[in-house]
Amino acid sequence: MGFRYVLGGFGAACAAWGGWLLFSQPEPWRIAVWLGGAVVVHDGLVAPLVMAIAALAALTGLRLRGVVRAALTVAGSLTAIALPPLLRPAGVANPTVLPLDYPRNWLLAMAAVALLTLMYAGTRAVVRRVNRRH
């Protein structure tokens, strides 16, 4: 029980420190708007999309529902992290600020998540099939 209080106190201290950092900025409302937007994107887009796909997987009887949900969670997290450079305005004044090809790199990351998920699912299916034969 004591560990819960320590953990809760640590969380409250981190939240207070974050609030202090937020309000010590010259324009804290800009950060607050961005954080609010992140909550809206997560709760209004990412979470319902993951839940809908998980529900569809359950309806089809897909045995790897947890794997699919984990892959969608990783893909959603990577997308949320990549949103700022993906949504940057075209023709920025300083081209060295965001010098990489972020849309291509995001697509490569999504392809890697899909490939690793398929490899894991395929390996599990093969192992299950081999175990049934013995």
Side-chain angles (χ1 to χ4, degrees):
M1 188 70 151
F3 178 72
R4 293 170 73 186
Y5 289 119
V6 169
L7 194 60
F10 179 69
C14 287
W17 183 45
W20 180 78
L21 289 174
L22 173 67
F23 289 111
S24 67
Q25 298 297 314
E27 295 179 339
W29 62 271
R30 298 181 92 190
I31 297 170
V33 167
W34 179 254
L35 290 173
V39 170
V40 168
V41 167
H42 177 270
D43 292 353
L45 182 66
V46 175
L49 184 62
V50 170
M51 289 172 44
I53 293 173
L56 287 173
L59 288 175
T60 62
L62 187 63
R63 296 180 74 164
L64 300 172
R65 292 183 299 254
V67 174
V68 172
R69 275 185 265 166
L72 289 171
T73 301
V74 170
S77 299
L78 287 173
T79 301
I81 291 168
L83 275 180
L86 289 174
L87 298 177
R88 73 176 179 195
V92 292
N94 184 354
T96 63
V97 172
L98 296 171
L100 302 176
D101 186 0
Y102 292 97
R104 183 204 62 186
N105 293 342
W106 175 78
L107 287 172
L108 288 172
M110 294 299 105
V113 169
L115 180 65
L116 289 171
T117 302
L118 289 173
M119 287 172 52
Y120 179 79
T123 302
R124 273 186 65 178
V126 168
V127 167
R128 244 191 336 266
R129 195 170 293 157
V130 167
N131 286 339
R132 275 192 223 149
R133 288 184 186 169
H134 293 146

